[in-house]
Amino acid sequence: MDEKDLKDLLNRRDFLMGASALGAMSLLAAQELSAQQAKPTKPAAKPAAKPEAAAAKPAVADDDEPPGPPVKVGVIGLGQRGRDVVASLGALKSASLVAVCDSYQPFVNRVKTTAPKAVPQTDYRKLLDDKAVEAVVIATPSHQHKQIVLDAVQAGKHVYLEAPIASQVDEAKAIALAGKGSKQIFQVGLQNRSTPIAKHIFKFLRASVLGTPASARVQWHKKTSWRASAPSPEREKVMNWRLAKATSSGIMGEIGIHQIDLVNWLLKLQPISVSGFGATMVWKDGREVPDTVQAIYEYPGGFRLLCDYTLANSFSGSQEVLMGTDCAVLKKESKAWLVKEADSSLLGWEVYARKDKILDDVGIALVADATKQLKLGLEPSKALADETPPLNYALKDFNTCIRTNKPPVSGALEGYQSAVAAIRGHDAVMSGNKVTFSKGDFDLA
């Protein structure tokens, strides 16, 4: 056994021991709570808050803020995603929104009420010239990213770039190389990686709890046209860039990229080929990209990822399932469960965890911040869903990286690799053919 194997073994052992200890702590906390409730107590001036009520609060996005003053941020692109960014920055103590920009004046006007102190611009280059701006969040349409990123890096700004980083592979590579060469923080908006539940699942999988990975499937179902209205035909064309071949990587690129990246990241895999299928089933309005698609990614050793996306129906929403020889992991938004196989070994902590009905099986609830809740005297088993938007966590990570100079969990290389996987998936959907990844496709020269 070499040094790396030994280190991995010790890490897995430590994590499983920690998980077992957490289960014991949960049991002790529950016993202590029961004992306290059984004791007679004097009437209090106010009823004590129940642990369930406290645990039901959504996770606070500005907990554990980075050291130093708030990062002075400018936002470029004020469409729907840009407005989401403005709202998320407003919820963080680690950020100060000092400038906003969009080439469309009505969008700039719209955010004046939510960002009254931010300097408005219609030319992003003027925002980049502003010495007060330390970092920029680029939330323009994907096909407009390249020049803005190159200029932002040249201006010495920290950059948070929404995913996908581009709608074409060659542009994605140019952007990623610029980000890699930047002396500042360059983070790509693969926001799932920043959420507590994804980080929690990552630790479980690093401890080999899944066993041998067998397959995975992901889905995103939402009935929505994706079409935006506008005051003129010219503006409508600009607004509906996601529906045109020349400017869009379709559902695979704009939506699927996040789930594809999550699976690749959690399992430390990169695909070798992808087959795709697509059709316009409902929104027959002249769009050039399908509203319903399926794709199958193949990996070394026979592992496959099945993707199912539609704008035609909302049934069952969004979820990811990873299946292995010892268990399956189901993640649905901010919740996750472990469903064990009958012949898998006892981990030690699962007997104390909350059990939920998952179709015909029993799911063991995975609680991301259980240790923190125990310290607060709460009961992790009664925690409700984390309602904090994943974007808040991702932007907080960005601010932390800026203040601590730590590399982001989704930097230039990760952003490029996710873009290549998603764009090639879209190519397979549009052609109906299998696309094979060549050697070096996921490398940044």
Side-chain angles (χ1 to χ4, degrees), residues 210-216 267 301-306 322-327:
L210 195 67
T212 302
S215 67
L267 297 179
F303 182 87
R304 288 182 174 85
L305 164 63
L306 285 69
L322 307 175
M323 291 180 285
T325 53
D326 291 338
C327 73

Side-chain angles (χ1 to χ4, degrees), residues 7-24:
K7 184 177 180 180
D8 288 343
L9 177 62
L10 292 175
N11 287 341
R12 289 195 297 270
R13 183 201 66 183
D14 291 344
F15 174 74
L16 292 174
M17 289 176 65
S20 180
L22 177 60

Side-chain angles (χ1 to χ4, degrees), residues 94-116:
S94 60
S96 175
L97 182 58
V98 298
V100 293
C101 177
D102 197 285
S103 59
Y104 188 50
Q105 185 65 52
F107 280 3
V108 177
N109 296 339
R110 187 182 291 181
V111 301
K112 285 182 178 179
T113 56
T114 54

Side-chain angles (χ1 to χ4, degrees), residues 235-384:
R235 185 61 196 170
E236 185 174 358
K237 183 177 180 180
V238 172
M239 292 282 290
N240 290 294
W241 59 273
R242 290 187 298 182
L243 306 180
K245 287 181 180 179
T247 53
S248 176
S249 52
I251 306 177
M252 295 298 299
E254 294 299 320
I255 301 296
I257 186 171
H258 295 286
Q259 294 179 311
I260 297 164
D261 172 73
L262 183 66
V263 172
N264 291 344
W265 174 60
L266 290 174
L267 297 179
K268 286 188 172 181
L269 295 174
Q270 292 296 352
I272 56 176
S273 68
V274 56
S275 302
F277 317 90
T280 300
M281 304 302 299
V282 174
W283 306 108
K284 301 180 186 296
D285 53 7
R287 67 185 59 204
E288 298 173 345
V289 297
D291 62 18
T292 301
V293 305
Q294 293 82 35
I296 302 173
Y297 285 87
E298 298 179 73
Y299 297 78
F303 182 87
R304 288 182 174 85
L305 164 63
L306 285 69
C307 305
D308 180 26
Y309 304 118
T310 185
L311 305 178
N313 188 284
S314 302
F315 178 71
S316 197
S318 171
Q319 64 183 38
E320 301 86 31
V321 180
L322 307 175
M323 291 180 285
T325 53
D326 291 338
C327 73
V329 173
L330 165 65
K331 176 183 171 295
K332 193 169 180 64
E333 304 297 344
S334 63
K335 287 187 174 183
W337 296 267
L338 191 77
V339 181
K340 296 185 63 178
E341 287 294 311
D343 60 352
S344 63
S345 59
L346 188 67
L347 300 173
W349 57 268
E350 66 266 52
V351 293
Y352 308 115
R354 187 182 79 236
K355 313 297 192 303
D356 295 325
K357 186 73 172 176
I358 306 295
L359 297 178
D360 293 330
D361 291 300
V362 175
I364 302 169
L366 301 179
V367 181
D369 58 350
T371 303
K372 182 185 293 186
Q373 292 186 38
L374 285 168
K375 288 180 180 179
L376 295 174
L378 306 177
E379 293 183 74
S381 64
K382 295 181 179 180
L384 299 182

Side-chain angles (χ1 to χ4, degrees), residues 8 12 201-208 265-268:
D8 288 343
R12 289 195 297 270
I201 295 172
F202 185 85
K203 293 177 183 178
F204 269 87
L205 298 187
R206 291 290 78 77
S208 299
W265 174 60
L266 290 174
L267 297 179
K268 286 188 172 181

